Amino acid sequence: MDQRCRRGAAPLIGSLASPRTSLALLGAALTALTLGALTLHVPGADTVGSPLRANLFVGVLAVSVGVYLLAVRVALRHDLPASATRLVLALAVLLRLALLLQPPFLSSDIYRYVWDGQVQAAGINPYLYVPADPALAPLRDPDVFPLINRADYARTIYPPAAQAFFAIVGRISAGVTGMKAAMLLCEGVAVLCLLALLARAGQPRVRILIYAWNPLVLWSFALDGHVDALAVGLLALALLARARHRDGLAGAILAGAVLVKFLPVVVAPAFIRGGRLWRPALAGLTVIVALYAPYLSAGAGVLGFLPAYGAEEGFDTGQGFWLLAGLSHLVTLPAAAARIYALAVAAGFAALSLWVATRKASKDEPGEVVLCRDAGLLAALATAAANPHYAWYYAWLALPACVAPNPAVIWLSAAPVLFYVDPFNERFVWPGLVFGPALILALRALLRRRRAL
């Protein structure tokens, strides 16, 4: 291994510490910061508590991201023993258990998951009614119903695969902790798949740290139980199936991930590279039809709150997009700014997708690395272009980054913890602390790649 890399790794830990000791110290620091952040929450508060506590909380999370990035640096730049992987996994489990036992306080989305499961257990299509509809009054309970967001005007936004999951979990447990535990099981599937992909690619298994220690992943899934964990588990299964040349199975599982959270559709070009199109496409289409079929009694309402969600987030005016929000400080944007931006992004992404799907990979590079690198690139660019202001939308980017580490993607998978507060109440300056460094890291990697050619 290059000695310059060895000398540069984790300089803040101290040159006298062994890499494994450095990793253990960083893990201890991450644990202390996570537990310390938990103490800032006021019991019973639906968020952290006061604005001061919220700011302190995000500050602690930002420091934990710095610790995490140092740990990633150690994992990538040193040959570590097998015991280091066991340390990483053990600490990942302990941190998740600590957060699992706490009530969700950064998001209330999980209460909708539990509610949708209860609605389906009663034999009712969840796309038919808003939670506050009198038709569902007999299902209301004091632990879940009062905490549902948008209860009086929004039908569920979650696609059929997510709904099927809510229904299954709801038959086992009608509580929030049970739903969170189910999401952590999905994460467990993802971790097992990543370990298998790392082994197939001939890469150190300790790189599972990129996902397992990611602070945004921890808080999004272990504390708040976001359904993105199910999408992550399915996407990991799809990547492993594709790496094993099970194209039809990969397409079917990827379709399941898409019908949990629509965003994973953007990685589809990585699955059809080399002309391997018809099997995954046919299998995926079959799964989509099968999953939507039980809910079609809602008609067009099967899309739920999705059509109105974009307007609520400011995407119709352009103020929801980071770039346009910045331009609006300089000039008056035309009425068609959002449409122009969307068309430009769509055209650019279509060109990138075509390049990913048709280019030939180097024979010297493991197929698993190529697959995850392409998936990570597509996922990061699509997520950054949409730039949702909810932090947990970015957590899935840590998944492909384990097998194909990319500084910009790793940064985007963790830094959005800053989005848990918005001190300026606007969409450009504060988000710029996330997107600005990501852009710099991406340009730096591109320049290095061009110099290497």
Side-chain angles (χ1 to χ4, degrees):
M1 180 178 291
D2 189 275
Q3 292 300 316
R4 290 172 297 175
C5 292
R6 291 182 182 274
R7 286 194 298 268
L12 297 180
I13 302 299
S15 59
L16 297 179
S18 70
R20 190 188 183 286
T21 301
S22 297
L23 200 62
L25 291 172
L26 289 167
L30 182 61
T31 302
L33 289 165
T34 302
L35 297 178
L38 275 177
T39 65
L40 291 171
H41 174 238
V42 176
D46 57 353
T47 57
V48 179
S50 67
L52 175 59
R53 282 177 175 267
N55 292 335
L56 288 173
F57 175 84
V58 171
V60 173
L61 262 59
V63 175
S64 73
V65 168
V67 170
Y68 160 75
L69 293 175
L70 285 174
V72 170
R73 188 178 178 90
V74 171
L76 292 179
R77 297 201 171 194
H78 286 277
D79 294 322
L80 291 158
S83 60
T85 303
R86 293 193 291 271
L87 169 68
V88 167
L89 293 174
L91 185 58
V93 170
L94 289 175
L95 288 172
R96 282 162 171 79
L97 289 176
L99 294 172
L100 171 66
L101 300 175
Q102 304 299 317
F105 58 82
L106 297 176
S107 165
S108 60
D109 285 359
I110 195 169
Y111 295 100
R112 175 76 75 147
Y113 310 162
V114 176
W115 173 260
D116 284 355
Q118 293 175 351
V119 170
Q120 292 179 83
I124 301 172
N125 189 331
Y127 296 104
L128 288 175
Y129 306 104
V130 300
D133 193 291
L136 303 181
L139 302 180
R140 297 174 188 173
D141 66 82
D143 294 327
V144 174
F145 178 76
L147 298 172
I148 299 172
N149 57 49
R150 304 182 180 92
D152 57 347
Y153 69 90
R155 285 177 290 182
T156 185
I157 195 175
Y158 302 103
Q163 292 297 340
F165 186 79
F166 300 157
I168 293 170
V169 175
R171 292 183 181 276
I172 301 171
S173 170
V176 167
T177 302
M179 187 65 72
K180 288 171 65 174
M183 296 303 175
L184 290 187
L185 288 176
C186 296
E187 269 206 292
V189 171
V191 168
L192 291 175
C193 291
L194 285 172
L195 290 172
L197 285 166
L198 287 167
R200 288 180 63 89
Q203 294 186 343
R205 288 157 61 94
V206 74
R207 292 188 179 185
I208 193 66
L209 176 151
I210 294 172
Y211 178 86
W213 282 14
N214 186 301
L216 182 56
V217 169
L218 285 168
W219 290 94
S220 297
F221 301 155
L223 179 77
D224 286 336
H226 280 289
V227 74
D228 305 62
L230 173 58
V232 164
L234 290 172
L235 179 57
L237 280 169
L239 289 169
L240 183 58
R242 176 62 172 78
R244 291 177 173 174
H245 308 291
R246 302 288 300 277
D247 296 349
L249 180 60
I253 298 173
L254 179 61
V258 171
L259 291 192
V260 171
K261 197 96 171 183
F262 292 118
L263 195 53
V265 72
V266 300
V267 305
F271 283 74
I272 61 174
R273 186 176 51 81
R276 299 159 71 168
L277 173 61
W278 73 270
R279 284 182 185 274
L282 180 60
L285 181 60
T286 302
V287 168
I288 290 172
V289 171
L291 286 172
Y292 265 112
Y295 300 100
L296 291 179
S297 62
V302 76
L303 294 177
F305 185 60
L306 183 63
Y309 180 74
E312 185 174 278
E313 294 303 305
F315 294 144
D316 56 340
T317 64
Q319 288 301 312
F321 298 112
W322 178 63
L323 181 60
L324 295 186
L327 289 174
S328 69
H329 290 298
L330 303 175
V331 297
T332 301
L333 296 178
R339 290 193 293 273
I340 294 171
Y341 177 83
L343 288 172
V345 168
F349 194 80
L352 174 64
S353 298
L354 182 63
W355 176 75
V356 167
T358 58
R359 74 185 181 96
K360 293 184 178 179
S362 170
K363 294 181 179 179
D364 299 329
E365 210 167 19
E368 295 80 9
V369 173
V370 174
L371 173 64
C372 290
R373 185 181 62 210
D374 290 345
L377 175 64
L378 292 163
L381 287 177
T383 306
N387 51 76
H389 71 281
Y390 295 118
W392 52 88
Y393 276 71
Y394 300 83
W396 75 305
L397 301 179
L399 180 76
C402 280
V403 183
N406 179 301
V409 177
I410 293 172
W411 171 262
L412 274 177
S413 75
V417 296
L418 294 177
F419 294 168
Y420 284 125
V421 295
D422 184 4
F424 304 117
N425 195 29
E426 59 87 56
R427 295 289 184 88
F428 181 71
V429 177
W430 189 252
L433 297 178
V434 171
F435 297 122
L439 183 60
I440 292 171
L441 288 170
L443 291 174
R444 180 185 177 192
L446 181 62
L447 290 173
R448 285 184 172 181
R449 185 177 180 85
R450 292 189 64 179
R451 291 195 193 104
L453 295 178

